Amino acid sequence: MNVLGIESSCDETSVAVISDGKLVANLISSQDFHVNYGGVVPELSSRAHLQIVLPLLKDALSESKLTLKDINVICATAGPGLIGALLVGLTFAKGLAYSLQIPFVPVNHIEGHVYSGFLMKDKPEFPFLAVVVSGGHTLLLLVNSFTEIQKLGSTVDDAAGEAFDKVAKMLGLGYPGGPKIQKAAEHGNKEKVTFPVADLADPFNFSFSGLKTSVLRYVQKSFKDNIIPDNERNNIAASFQDAVIRAITRNAERALNNFEIKSLSLVGGVAANQPLRDALTNLAARYNKRIVIPDMQFCGDNAAMITFRGMKLFESGKRFELTYNPFPGIPENHFSI
Ligand code: KG4
Ligand code: ZN
């Protein structure tokens, strides 16, 4: 069976092919031009997806040594994400499925991230704890199977990646914030400043907006006209990053202490953060659990994870009409986790 998948929820256009269970193409085109605006501009994102999706499909097919006629199932991200951006991939995929008269499978983007560990050689073992950290979501999930996910906790305000991006902006580090903060933190000393880690009534929930405000207050109080010396900027980045990592590690440890968990998986764009990868790897080792952290190409947005998730849904017998519309009301209604 050859499964084709398309991802276009934000600023990455991606097309992947899984052939008889093996990933044979995962092409990702990142929209670097958003750097000029300090963040993703939704309208420009949609236009760029429209321009690149067809050439990317052609390249993915040629890399897979397949033609469109060989494709049996088509998947596409249906949300959550930027609506205009999603519509490009979704409509393209539906049109293809219709013209080829093959099944179409809409995929929840977060569920794509959740199961992205299965793209690795060593796969997560059910039930596993998924630590989902992306630009839009921060979730602790107990994943029992390919059909059952139990939500343990989530952020009550900003997502972890969003906090990275906003703090990077405050520090004048630019966009995207995550990698820039990580780089600055490598040259900083996290002991020089301490930022608070919120501890909420629900032990599995997160809050990053207070941390973000603490950084802002500290910068306003300590530096005139926002002129921050390099060493101070690096220290703030290190301390901020450490606070985020402590919050994530603390809640993940609470989950390990309270639930039957076989393995861990750290997924989503922020899973690219090396000190976070190290912290959760250490946590897993302390609890004698296996941890699966996807390779970098599967951490950020990519079609491989969408294709895998769609394939599993299809294999479990799920079928969708081509008239399926994920946005009849407000898009948040369709985030099922
Ligand atoms: O999963 P993703 O690619 O897109 C969403 O679904 O949101 O995640 C993007 C987020 C951005 O906020 C970006 O700053 C963050 O992942 N990120 C990182 C790193 N690389 C990307 N955050 C911390 N450290 C990194 N190295
Ligand atoms: Zn994502």
Side-chain angles (χ1 to χ4, degrees), residues 7 9-12 80 109-110 113 133-137 159-165 175-183 241 267-276 296 299-302 305:
E7 153 66 29
S9 68
C10 191
D11 55 346
E12 260 93 28
H109 181 83
I110 303 302
H113 278 301
V133 276
S134 73
H137 295 84
E162 193 181 351
F164 267 95
D165 294 335
Y175 183 87
K180 301 256 163 118
I181 295 246
Q182 183 183 326
K183 187 115 202 61
Q241 178 177 266
V267 297
V270 185
N273 186 275
Q274 193 57 48
L276 175 62
M296 293 299 178
C299 283
D301 292 342
N302 67 89
M305 67 181 191

Short mmCIF file of all heavy atoms in Angstrom, two decimals, residues 7 9-12 80 109-110 113 133-137 159-165 175-183 241 267-276 296 299-302 305, ligand 1:
data_model
loop_
_atom_site.label_atom_id
_atom_site.label_comp_id
_atom_site.label_asym_id
_atom_site.label_seq_id
_atom_site.Cartn_x
_atom_site.Cartn_y
_atom_site.Cartn_z
N GLU A 7 1.16 18.14 4.49
CA GLU A 7 1.07 18.99 5.69
C GLU A 7 1.20 20.44 5.24
O GLU A 7 2.12 20.80 4.50
CB GLU A 7 2.21 18.61 6.66
CG GLU A 7 2.69 19.70 7.61
CD GLU A 7 1.67 20.14 8.66
OE1 GLU A 7 0.81 19.32 9.05
OE2 GLU A 7 1.73 21.32 9.07
N SER A 9 -0.12 23.19 7.72
CA SER A 9 -0.87 23.89 8.78
C SER A 9 -0.29 25.24 9.18
O SER A 9 -0.98 26.08 9.73
CB SER A 9 -0.99 23.01 10.02
OG SER A 9 0.28 22.83 10.61
N CYS A 10 1.01 25.44 8.91
CA CYS A 10 1.62 26.70 9.35
C CYS A 10 2.63 27.19 8.31
O CYS A 10 2.24 27.57 7.22
CB CYS A 10 2.22 26.50 10.74
SG CYS A 10 2.71 28.06 11.52
N ASP A 11 3.91 27.15 8.63
CA ASP A 11 4.89 27.72 7.69
C ASP A 11 5.80 26.67 7.06
O ASP A 11 6.86 26.99 6.56
CB ASP A 11 5.72 28.81 8.39
CG ASP A 11 6.40 28.34 9.66
OD1 ASP A 11 6.05 27.26 10.16
OD2 ASP A 11 7.29 29.05 10.15
N GLU A 12 5.36 25.40 7.11
CA GLU A 12 6.08 24.36 6.39
C GLU A 12 5.12 23.68 5.42
O GLU A 12 4.04 23.26 5.82
CB GLU A 12 6.62 23.28 7.35
CG GLU A 12 8.09 23.41 7.70
CD GLU A 12 8.31 24.22 8.97
OE1 GLU A 12 7.40 24.21 9.82
OE2 GLU A 12 9.37 24.87 9.08
N PRO A 80 -5.41 21.26 14.03
CA PRO A 80 -5.49 22.71 14.10
C PRO A 80 -4.35 23.38 13.33
O PRO A 80 -3.33 22.75 13.08
CB PRO A 80 -5.39 23.00 15.60
CG PRO A 80 -4.67 21.83 16.18
CD PRO A 80 -4.96 20.66 15.30
N HIS A 109 -3.42 17.43 13.31
CA HIS A 109 -1.99 17.77 13.34
C HIS A 109 -1.30 17.31 14.65
O HIS A 109 -0.19 16.78 14.62
CB HIS A 109 -1.83 19.28 13.17
CG HIS A 109 -0.43 19.76 13.16
ND1 HIS A 109 0.38 19.73 12.04
CD2 HIS A 109 0.35 20.27 14.14
CE1 HIS A 109 1.56 20.22 12.34
NE2 HIS A 109 1.58 20.55 13.61
N ILE A 110 -2.00 17.51 15.76
CA ILE A 110 -1.41 17.14 17.05
C ILE A 110 -1.27 15.63 17.16
O ILE A 110 -0.26 15.11 17.66
CB ILE A 110 -2.26 17.67 18.23
CG1 ILE A 110 -2.43 19.19 18.13
CG2 ILE A 110 -1.62 17.32 19.57
CD1 ILE A 110 -1.14 19.97 18.10
N HIS A 113 1.86 14.67 15.53
CA HIS A 113 3.02 14.80 16.42
C HIS A 113 3.06 13.67 17.45
O HIS A 113 4.11 13.09 17.71
CB HIS A 113 2.96 16.14 17.17
CG HIS A 113 3.47 17.33 16.40
ND1 HIS A 113 4.75 17.40 15.90
CD2 HIS A 113 2.86 18.50 16.06
CE1 HIS A 113 4.91 18.57 15.29
NE2 HIS A 113 3.78 19.24 15.36
N VAL A 133 5.18 19.27 22.77
CA VAL A 133 5.57 20.68 22.95
C VAL A 133 5.78 21.32 21.58
O VAL A 133 6.76 21.06 20.90
CB VAL A 133 6.85 20.79 23.82
CG1 VAL A 133 6.51 20.75 25.30
CG2 VAL A 133 7.87 19.71 23.50
N SER A 134 4.84 22.18 21.19
CA SER A 134 4.96 22.80 19.87
C SER A 134 4.69 24.29 19.99
O SER A 134 4.59 24.82 21.10
CB SER A 134 3.98 22.14 18.90
OG SER A 134 2.67 22.55 19.20
N GLY A 135 4.58 24.95 18.84
CA GLY A 135 4.32 26.38 18.85
C GLY A 135 2.92 26.70 19.37
O GLY A 135 2.68 27.76 19.93
N GLY A 136 1.99 25.78 19.17
CA GLY A 136 0.61 26.05 19.54
C GLY A 136 0.09 25.23 20.71
O GLY A 136 -0.96 25.55 21.26
N HIS A 137 0.80 24.17 21.09
CA HIS A 137 0.30 23.28 22.13
C HIS A 137 1.37 22.81 23.11
O HIS A 137 2.54 22.68 22.72
CB HIS A 137 -0.35 22.03 21.50
CG HIS A 137 -1.56 22.35 20.69
ND1 HIS A 137 -1.47 22.75 19.38
CD2 HIS A 137 -2.87 22.39 21.02
CE1 HIS A 137 -2.69 23.01 18.93
NE2 HIS A 137 -3.55 22.80 19.90
N ALA A 159 1.63 28.35 24.86
CA ALA A 159 2.31 27.09 24.61
C ALA A 159 3.81 27.31 24.84
O ALA A 159 4.30 28.45 24.79
CB ALA A 159 2.05 26.64 23.19
N ALA A 160 4.55 26.20 25.06
CA ALA A 160 5.98 26.32 25.32
C ALA A 160 6.70 27.02 24.16
O ALA A 160 7.49 27.95 24.37
CB ALA A 160 6.58 24.94 25.56
N GLY A 161 6.39 26.59 22.93
CA GLY A 161 7.06 27.18 21.77
C GLY A 161 6.73 28.65 21.60
O GLY A 161 7.60 29.47 21.25
N GLU A 162 5.47 28.99 21.91
CA GLU A 162 5.02 30.38 21.84
C GLU A 162 5.83 31.23 22.83
O GLU A 162 6.26 32.35 22.50
CB GLU A 162 3.54 30.38 22.23
CG GLU A 162 2.77 31.61 21.96
CD GLU A 162 1.31 31.42 22.46
OE1 GLU A 162 0.91 30.30 22.84
OE2 GLU A 162 0.60 32.44 22.46
N ALA A 163 6.06 30.68 24.04
CA ALA A 163 6.85 31.40 25.05
C ALA A 163 8.28 31.60 24.55
O ALA A 163 8.85 32.70 24.69
CB ALA A 163 6.83 30.63 26.37
N PHE A 164 8.86 30.57 23.95
CA PHE A 164 10.21 30.70 23.38
C PHE A 164 10.22 31.84 22.34
O PHE A 164 11.11 32.68 22.33
CB PHE A 164 10.64 29.39 22.70
CG PHE A 164 11.42 28.46 23.60
CD1 PHE A 164 10.80 27.43 24.28
CD2 PHE A 164 12.80 28.61 23.75
CE1 PHE A 164 11.51 26.57 25.11
CE2 PHE A 164 13.53 27.76 24.58
CZ PHE A 164 12.88 26.74 25.26
N ASP A 165 9.22 31.83 21.47
CA ASP A 165 9.19 32.82 20.38
C ASP A 165 9.02 34.24 20.93
O ASP A 165 9.66 35.18 20.47
CB ASP A 165 8.06 32.49 19.39
CG ASP A 165 8.32 31.19 18.64
OD1 ASP A 165 9.50 30.80 18.52
OD2 ASP A 165 7.36 30.54 18.20
N TYR A 175 13.23 35.70 14.97
CA TYR A 175 12.32 34.57 14.75
C TYR A 175 12.99 33.51 13.87
O TYR A 175 13.73 33.88 12.98
CB TYR A 175 11.03 35.08 14.09
CG TYR A 175 10.01 34.02 13.89
CD1 TYR A 175 9.09 33.72 14.89
CD2 TYR A 175 9.98 33.28 12.71
CE1 TYR A 175 8.16 32.71 14.71
CE2 TYR A 175 9.05 32.27 12.54
CZ TYR A 175 8.14 31.99 13.55
OH TYR A 175 7.23 30.99 13.38
N PRO A 176 12.78 32.23 14.05
CA PRO A 176 12.00 31.61 15.11
C PRO A 176 12.78 31.55 16.43
O PRO A 176 13.99 31.31 16.44
CB PRO A 176 11.73 30.21 14.58
CG PRO A 176 12.86 29.92 13.64
CD PRO A 176 13.32 31.25 13.11
N GLY A 177 12.06 31.78 17.51
CA GLY A 177 12.69 32.00 18.80
C GLY A 177 13.38 30.80 19.41
O GLY A 177 14.44 30.94 20.04
N GLY A 178 12.78 29.61 19.26
CA GLY A 178 13.31 28.42 19.93
C GLY A 178 14.80 28.19 19.69
O GLY A 178 15.60 28.20 20.63
N PRO A 179 15.19 28.01 18.42
CA PRO A 179 16.61 27.75 18.14
C PRO A 179 17.51 28.91 18.58
O PRO A 179 18.63 28.69 19.03
CB PRO A 179 16.65 27.57 16.62
CG PRO A 179 15.25 27.31 16.21
CD PRO A 179 14.34 27.93 17.22
N LYS A 180 17.00 30.15 18.46
CA LYS A 180 17.81 31.33 18.83
C LYS A 180 18.06 31.35 20.33
O LYS A 180 19.16 31.66 20.80
CB LYS A 180 17.10 32.63 18.41
CG LYS A 180 16.82 32.71 16.92
CD LYS A 180 17.78 33.64 16.25
CE LYS A 180 17.78 33.42 14.75
NZ LYS A 180 17.40 34.45 13.92
N ILE A 181 17.02 31.04 21.12
CA ILE A 181 17.18 31.01 22.59
C ILE A 181 18.15 29.88 22.96
O ILE A 181 19.04 30.07 23.79
CB ILE A 181 15.82 30.78 23.29
CG1 ILE A 181 14.90 31.96 23.02
CG2 ILE A 181 16.02 30.49 24.79
CD1 ILE A 181 14.52 32.81 24.18
N GLN A 182 17.98 28.74 22.33
CA GLN A 182 18.88 27.61 22.65
C GLN A 182 20.33 28.00 22.41
O GLN A 182 21.22 27.74 23.22
CB GLN A 182 18.51 26.37 21.82
CG GLN A 182 19.37 25.17 22.19
CD GLN A 182 19.11 23.93 21.34
OE1 GLN A 182 17.98 23.68 20.93
NE2 GLN A 182 20.15 23.16 21.09
N LYS A 183 20.59 28.67 21.28
CA LYS A 183 21.95 29.06 20.91
C LYS A 183 22.50 30.07 21.92
O LYS A 183 23.62 29.93 22.43
CB LYS A 183 21.92 29.66 19.49
CG LYS A 183 23.23 29.97 18.86
CD LYS A 183 23.44 29.07 17.62
CE LYS A 183 24.87 28.89 17.19
NZ LYS A 183 25.76 28.30 18.10
N GLN A 241 15.09 29.29 29.48
CA GLN A 241 15.03 27.93 28.92
C GLN A 241 14.99 26.90 30.05
O GLN A 241 14.23 25.93 30.01
CB GLN A 241 16.25 27.71 28.03
CG GLN A 241 16.33 26.32 27.42
CD GLN A 241 17.52 26.18 26.50
OE1 GLN A 241 17.41 26.36 25.30
NE2 GLN A 241 18.67 25.86 27.06
N VAL A 267 7.73 15.01 21.71
CA VAL A 267 7.43 15.33 20.31
C VAL A 267 7.02 16.79 20.12
O VAL A 267 6.70 17.48 21.09
CB VAL A 267 6.29 14.42 19.78
CG1 VAL A 267 6.70 12.96 19.79
CG2 VAL A 267 5.01 14.61 20.59
N GLY A 268 7.03 17.25 18.87
CA GLY A 268 6.65 18.63 18.53
C GLY A 268 7.90 19.47 18.30
O GLY A 268 9.02 19.05 18.61
N GLY A 269 7.68 20.67 17.79
CA GLY A 269 8.79 21.54 17.40
C GLY A 269 9.80 21.80 18.52
O GLY A 269 11.02 21.82 18.28
N VAL A 270 9.31 21.98 19.75
CA VAL A 270 10.21 22.30 20.88
C VAL A 270 11.04 21.07 21.28
O VAL A 270 12.06 21.21 21.96
CB VAL A 270 9.40 22.87 22.07
CG1 VAL A 270 10.30 23.31 23.21
CG2 VAL A 270 8.54 24.05 21.63
N ALA A 271 10.63 19.89 20.82
CA ALA A 271 11.41 18.68 21.09
C ALA A 271 12.77 18.76 20.39
O ALA A 271 13.66 17.92 20.64
CB ALA A 271 10.65 17.44 20.65
N ALA A 272 12.95 19.74 19.52
CA ALA A 272 14.27 19.94 18.89
C ALA A 272 15.26 20.53 19.89
O ALA A 272 16.47 20.53 19.64
CB ALA A 272 14.12 20.88 17.69
N ASN A 273 14.77 21.02 21.01
CA ASN A 273 15.64 21.68 22.00
C ASN A 273 16.53 20.66 22.71
O ASN A 273 16.03 19.80 23.44
CB ASN A 273 14.76 22.44 23.00
CG ASN A 273 15.57 23.26 23.96
OD1 ASN A 273 16.03 22.76 24.98
ND2 ASN A 273 15.77 24.52 23.65
N GLN A 274 17.82 20.77 22.51
CA GLN A 274 18.75 19.75 23.02
C GLN A 274 18.73 19.62 24.55
O GLN A 274 18.63 18.50 25.07
CB GLN A 274 20.18 20.00 22.51
CG GLN A 274 21.13 18.83 22.73
CD GLN A 274 20.64 17.52 22.11
OE1 GLN A 274 20.23 17.49 20.94
NE2 GLN A 274 20.61 16.44 22.89
N PRO A 275 18.80 20.73 25.31
CA PRO A 275 18.76 20.57 26.77
C PRO A 275 17.45 19.93 27.26
O PRO A 275 17.46 19.18 28.24
CB PRO A 275 18.90 22.01 27.29
CG PRO A 275 19.59 22.74 26.20
CD PRO A 275 19.10 22.12 24.93
N LEU A 276 16.34 20.19 26.56
CA LEU A 276 15.08 19.53 26.93
C LEU A 276 15.15 18.04 26.62
O LEU A 276 14.70 17.20 27.41
CB LEU A 276 13.90 20.19 26.19
CG LEU A 276 12.53 19.54 26.40
CD1 LEU A 276 12.10 19.59 27.87
CD2 LEU A 276 11.46 20.21 25.53
N MET A 296 15.37 15.17 14.22
CA MET A 296 14.98 16.57 13.97
C MET A 296 13.95 16.72 12.84
O MET A 296 13.02 17.52 12.96
CB MET A 296 16.20 17.42 13.64
CG MET A 296 17.16 17.56 14.79
SD MET A 296 16.39 18.36 16.20
CE MET A 296 17.72 18.32 17.38
N CYS A 299 10.53 16.37 14.23
CA CYS A 299 10.12 17.19 15.37
C CYS A 299 9.28 18.37 14.90
O CYS A 299 8.17 18.59 15.35
CB CYS A 299 11.33 17.70 16.14
SG CYS A 299 12.09 16.45 17.18
N GLY A 300 9.83 19.17 13.99
CA GLY A 300 9.09 20.29 13.41
C GLY A 300 7.99 19.72 12.52
O GLY A 300 7.84 18.50 12.38
N ASP A 301 7.20 20.61 11.92
CA ASP A 301 6.08 20.13 11.11
C ASP A 301 6.58 19.38 9.88
O ASP A 301 7.47 19.87 9.17
CB ASP A 301 5.19 21.31 10.75
CG ASP A 301 4.50 21.86 11.98
OD1 ASP A 301 4.44 21.14 13.00
OD2 ASP A 301 4.03 23.01 11.93
N ASN A 302 5.99 18.24 9.64
CA ASN A 302 6.43 17.40 8.52
C ASN A 302 5.28 16.50 8.09
O ASN A 302 4.40 16.17 8.90
CB ASN A 302 7.64 16.55 8.94
CG ASN A 302 7.27 15.54 10.00
OD1 ASN A 302 6.88 14.42 9.68
ND2 ASN A 302 7.34 15.91 11.29
N MET A 305 4.80 12.44 9.57
CA MET A 305 3.96 12.11 10.73
C MET A 305 2.48 12.13 10.37
O MET A 305 1.68 11.36 10.92
CB MET A 305 4.26 13.07 11.90
CG MET A 305 3.84 14.51 11.66
SD MET A 305 4.24 15.56 13.07
CE MET A 305 3.34 17.07 12.64
O1 KG4 B 1 5.60 21.73 15.91
P1 KG4 B 1 6.06 23.02 15.32
O2 KG4 B 1 7.05 22.97 14.19
O3 KG4 B 1 4.84 23.87 14.83
C1 KG4 B 1 3.62 23.83 15.50
O4 KG4 B 1 2.86 22.86 15.30
O5 KG4 B 1 3.42 24.76 16.32
O6 KG4 B 1 6.67 23.90 16.52
C2 KG4 B 1 7.20 25.17 16.28
C3 KG4 B 1 7.76 25.70 17.59
C4 KG4 B 1 8.17 27.17 17.50
O7 KG4 B 1 7.59 27.86 18.57
C5 KG4 B 1 9.69 27.12 17.63
O8 KG4 B 1 10.24 28.26 18.26
C6 KG4 B 1 9.87 25.88 18.49
O9 KG4 B 1 8.94 24.97 17.98
N1 KG4 B 1 11.25 25.34 18.39
C7 KG4 B 1 12.11 25.28 19.43
C8 KG4 B 1 13.34 24.80 18.91
N2 KG4 B 1 13.17 24.58 17.57
C9 KG4 B 1 11.88 24.92 17.27
N3 KG4 B 1 11.94 25.61 20.73
C10 KG4 B 1 13.01 25.45 21.54
N4 KG4 B 1 14.23 25.01 21.12
C11 KG4 B 1 14.44 24.68 19.82
N5 KG4 B 1 15.64 24.25 19.42
#
